[in-house]
């Protein structure tokens, strides 16, 4: 189940895309003011500045959320939406791998972690497989 974007986020993205299309020099959605893809260093620096500005991180050198954590959360939450259907999970993993820009699915597995919901789904699928029950 996809959660719709808040109206304010959707309007901001729509506005950005319309301005961005005037300066399109790259296929990437998010580009720098010069019209090119920003490298990881620039994106990470911006994320850290924003996270500090809204109180998610302390001063430089202190622990807090990292931009990479967003990728992990996205991957796990999207997989949680698959439920117990193994075919859905398999299809979703392939789509997730592609969406995240990985060249091989094994790179996507590193983003996954056990959550209570995933562990429950895995336990239910295992019971179904072992007991021969159908959902």
């Amino acid at each position: 189940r996809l959660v719709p974007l808040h109206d304010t986020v959707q309007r901001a993205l729509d506005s950005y895309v319309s301005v961005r299309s005037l300066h399109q020099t790259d296929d990437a959605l998010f580009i720098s003011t010069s019209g090119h893809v920003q490298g990881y260093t620039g994106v990470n620096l911006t994320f850290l500045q924003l996270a500090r500005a809204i109180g998610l991180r302390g001063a430089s050198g202190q622990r807090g959320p990292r931009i990479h954590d967003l990728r992990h959360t996205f991957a796990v939450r999207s997989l949680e939406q698959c439920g117990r259907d193994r075919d859905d999970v398999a299809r979703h993993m392939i789509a997730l791998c592609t969406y995240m820009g990985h060249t091989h699915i094994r790179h996507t597995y590193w983003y996954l972690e056990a959550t209570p919901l995933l562990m429950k789904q895995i336990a239910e699928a295992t019971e179904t497989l072992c007991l021969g029950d159908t959902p």
Side-chain angles (χ1 to χ4, degrees), residues 6-7 20 38 45 47 50 60-61 70 73 120 124 133:
H6 191 272
D7 290 341
R20 183 216 170 277
Q38 283 196 1
L45 179 61
F47 174 81
L50 291 171
S60 183
L70 297 177
T73 300
K120 179 178 183 273
E124 288 172 353
D133 295 338

Side-chain angles (χ1 to χ4, degrees), residues 7-105:
D7 290 341
T8 57
V9 174
Q10 187 64 58
R11 283 194 303 272
L13 283 173
D14 290 344
S15 175
Y16 169 78
V17 168
S18 66
V19 171
R20 183 216 170 277
S21 65
L22 300 173
H23 306 285
Q24 186 171 359
T25 61
D26 200 291
D27 289 338
L29 176 60
F30 296 108
I31 56 174
S32 69
T33 54
S34 65
H36 300 285
V37 177
Q38 283 196 1
Y40 175 80
T41 303
V43 171
N44 190 52
L45 179 61
T46 301
F47 174 81
L48 292 174
Q49 290 170 341
L50 291 171
R52 285 188 185 103
I54 62 174
L56 288 178
R57 287 188 69 97
S60 183
Q62 291 184 341
R63 295 181 62 110
R66 304 164 303 151
I67 197 162
H68 219 68
D69 296 331
L70 297 177
R71 286 176 63 91
H72 283 271
T73 300
F74 169 77
V76 170
R77 296 295 179 255
S78 64
L79 189 61
E80 286 177 342
Q81 301 302 312
C82 291
R84 294 175 51 181
D85 187 325
R86 291 187 309 168
D87 291 334
D88 277 352
V89 172
R91 282 189 300 273
H92 189 78
M93 283 302 297
I94 293 168
L96 188 59
C97 174
T98 302
Y99 187 81
M100 296 181 78
H102 295 153
T103 56
H104 196 282
I105 199 163

